Tab-separated table of all heavy atoms in Angstrom:
chain	number	residue	atom	x	y	z
A	825	ALA	N	10.019	3.938	-64.998
A	825	ALA	CA	10.145	2.636	-64.350
A	825	ALA	C	11.433	2.514	-63.542
A	825	ALA	O	11.504	1.719	-62.604
A	825	ALA	CB	10.089	1.526	-65.402
A	826	ARG	N	12.445	3.297	-63.909
A	826	ARG	CA	13.733	3.216	-63.201
A	826	ARG	C	14.010	4.451	-62.364
A	826	ARG	O	15.107	4.623	-61.839
A	826	ARG	CB	14.867	3.025	-64.218
A	826	ARG	CG	14.750	1.731	-65.012
A	826	ARG	CD	15.899	1.566	-65.970
A	826	ARG	NE	15.766	0.358	-66.768
A	826	ARG	CZ	16.634	-0.029	-67.693
A	826	ARG	NH1	17.697	0.718	-67.929
A	826	ARG	NH2	16.446	-1.143	-68.378
A	827	ARG	N	13.036	5.326	-62.247
A	827	ARG	CA	13.268	6.602	-61.585
A	827	ARG	C	13.528	6.437	-60.091
A	827	ARG	O	14.353	7.131	-59.502
A	827	ARG	CB	12.077	7.526	-61.829
A	827	ARG	CG	12.377	8.995	-61.577
A	827	ARG	CD	11.295	9.867	-62.167
A	827	ARG	NE	11.336	9.872	-63.629
A	827	ARG	CZ	10.282	10.065	-64.398
A	827	ARG	NH1	9.095	10.255	-63.860
A	827	ARG	NH2	10.406	10.058	-65.706
A	828	GLY	N	12.818	5.495	-59.454
A	828	GLY	CA	13.014	5.299	-58.024
A	828	GLY	C	14.438	4.902	-57.695
A	828	GLY	O	15.055	5.432	-56.776
A	829	MET	N	14.992	3.956	-58.464
A	829	MET	CA	16.373	3.526	-58.236
A	829	MET	C	17.354	4.661	-58.516
A	829	MET	O	18.295	4.893	-57.746
A	829	MET	CB	16.701	2.319	-59.102
A	829	MET	CG	18.118	1.787	-58.911
A	829	MET	SD	18.486	0.350	-59.958
A	829	MET	CE	17.343	-0.839	-59.270
A	830	ALA	N	17.144	5.397	-59.639
A	830	ALA	CA	18.056	6.482	-60.000
A	830	ALA	C	18.047	7.587	-58.945
A	830	ALA	O	19.102	8.079	-58.531
A	830	ALA	CB	17.691	7.054	-61.368
A	831	LEU	N	16.854	7.968	-58.508
A	831	LEU	CA	16.766	9.016	-57.489
A	831	LEU	C	17.277	8.515	-56.146
A	831	LEU	O	17.773	9.298	-55.330
A	831	LEU	CB	15.330	9.515	-57.376
A	831	LEU	CG	14.821	10.298	-58.603
A	831	LEU	CD1	13.350	10.648	-58.441
A	831	LEU	CD2	15.646	11.551	-58.829
A	832	GLY	N	17.156	7.210	-55.901
A	832	GLY	CA	17.730	6.652	-54.682
A	832	GLY	C	19.239	6.761	-54.679
A	832	GLY	O	19.850	7.123	-53.669
A	833	ILE	N	19.874	6.452	-55.831
A	833	ILE	CA	21.328	6.597	-55.939
A	833	ILE	C	21.729	8.060	-55.793
A	833	ILE	O	22.692	8.399	-55.089
A	833	ILE	CB	21.815	6.031	-57.282
A	833	ILE	CG1	21.559	4.516	-57.346
A	833	ILE	CG2	23.298	6.332	-57.502
A	833	ILE	CD1	21.814	3.911	-58.711
A	834	TYR	N	20.978	8.939	-56.467
A	834	TYR	CA	21.240	10.380	-56.373
A	834	TYR	C	21.158	10.850	-54.915
A	834	TYR	O	22.033	11.568	-54.422
A	834	TYR	CB	20.226	11.137	-57.228
A	834	TYR	CG	20.266	12.642	-57.101
A	834	TYR	CD1	21.031	13.422	-57.967
A	834	TYR	CD2	19.518	13.295	-56.125
A	834	TYR	CE1	21.061	14.795	-57.855
A	834	TYR	CE2	19.543	14.671	-56.006
A	834	TYR	CZ	20.315	15.426	-56.869
A	834	TYR	OH	20.338	16.781	-56.743
A	835	GLY	N	20.094	10.429	-54.221
A	835	GLY	CA	19.936	10.814	-52.821
A	835	GLY	C	21.044	10.268	-51.949
A	835	GLY	O	21.529	10.940	-51.036
A	836	ALA	N	21.485	9.037	-52.244
A	836	ALA	CA	22.569	8.443	-51.471
A	836	ALA	C	23.876	9.210	-51.673
A	836	ALA	O	24.634	9.432	-50.722
A	836	ALA	CB	22.758	6.985	-51.877
A	837	VAL	N	24.140	9.610	-52.920
A	837	VAL	CA	25.355	10.376	-53.217
A	837	VAL	C	25.336	11.710	-52.474
A	837	VAL	O	26.330	12.124	-51.867
A	837	VAL	CB	25.489	10.599	-54.740
A	837	VAL	CG1	26.577	11.629	-55.049
A	837	VAL	CG2	25.813	9.282	-55.431
A	838	THR	N	24.186	12.378	-52.510
A	838	THR	CA	24.065	13.655	-51.809
A	838	THR	C	24.236	13.477	-50.311
A	838	THR	O	24.947	14.242	-49.646
A	838	THR	CB	22.696	14.291	-52.108
A	838	THR	OG1	22.535	14.428	-53.527
A	838	THR	CG2	22.593	15.668	-51.466
A	839	GLY	N	23.582	12.456	-49.767
A	839	GLY	CA	23.701	12.201	-48.333
A	839	GLY	C	25.115	11.839	-47.937
A	839	GLY	O	25.617	12.278	-46.901
A	840	LEU	N	25.786	11.041	-48.763
A	840	LEU	CA	27.170	10.668	-48.481
A	840	LEU	C	28.074	11.898	-48.491
A	840	LEU	O	28.990	12.016	-47.675
A	840	LEU	CB	27.655	9.651	-49.518
A	840	LEU	CG	29.097	9.189	-49.381
A	840	LEU	CD1	29.312	8.477	-48.049
A	840	LEU	CD2	29.470	8.260	-50.538
A	841	ALA	N	27.809	12.830	-49.410
A	841	ALA	CA	28.622	14.045	-49.480
A	841	ALA	C	28.477	14.875	-48.209
A	841	ALA	O	29.472	15.350	-47.644
A	841	ALA	CB	28.208	14.881	-50.694
A	842	VAL	N	27.240	15.042	-47.754
A	842	VAL	CA	27.007	15.800	-46.519
A	842	VAL	C	27.697	15.125	-45.346
A	842	VAL	O	28.367	15.754	-44.525
A	842	VAL	CB	25.494	15.937	-46.251
A	842	VAL	CG1	25.243	16.544	-44.880
A	842	VAL	CG2	24.850	16.797	-47.328
A	843	ALA	N	27.545	13.789	-45.277
A	843	ALA	CA	28.072	13.069	-44.134
A	843	ALA	C	29.594	12.934	-44.167
A	843	ALA	O	30.248	12.928	-43.119
A	843	ALA	CB	27.442	11.678	-44.075
A	844	SER	N	30.180	12.807	-45.364
A	844	SER	CA	31.622	12.597	-45.457
A	844	SER	C	32.410	13.899	-45.451
A	844	SER	O	33.646	13.861	-45.471
A	844	SER	CB	31.962	11.799	-46.718
A	844	SER	OG	31.598	12.511	-47.881
A	845	GLY	N	31.726	15.024	-45.417
A	845	GLY	CA	32.422	16.302	-45.368
A	845	GLY	C	33.466	16.382	-44.271
A	845	GLY	O	34.616	16.789	-44.525
A	846	PRO	N	33.124	15.997	-43.019
A	846	PRO	CA	34.136	16.056	-41.961
A	846	PRO	C	35.355	15.190	-42.226
A	846	PRO	O	36.480	15.587	-41.930
A	846	PRO	CB	33.359	15.556	-40.729
A	846	PRO	CG	31.945	15.914	-41.016
A	846	PRO	CD	31.785	15.703	-42.496
Side-chain angles (χ1 to χ4, degrees):
R826 298 181 182 180
R827 198 165 289 152
M829 181 180 295
L831 292 175
I833 295 171
Y834 173 93
V837 168
T838 304
L840 178 62
V842 172
S844 63

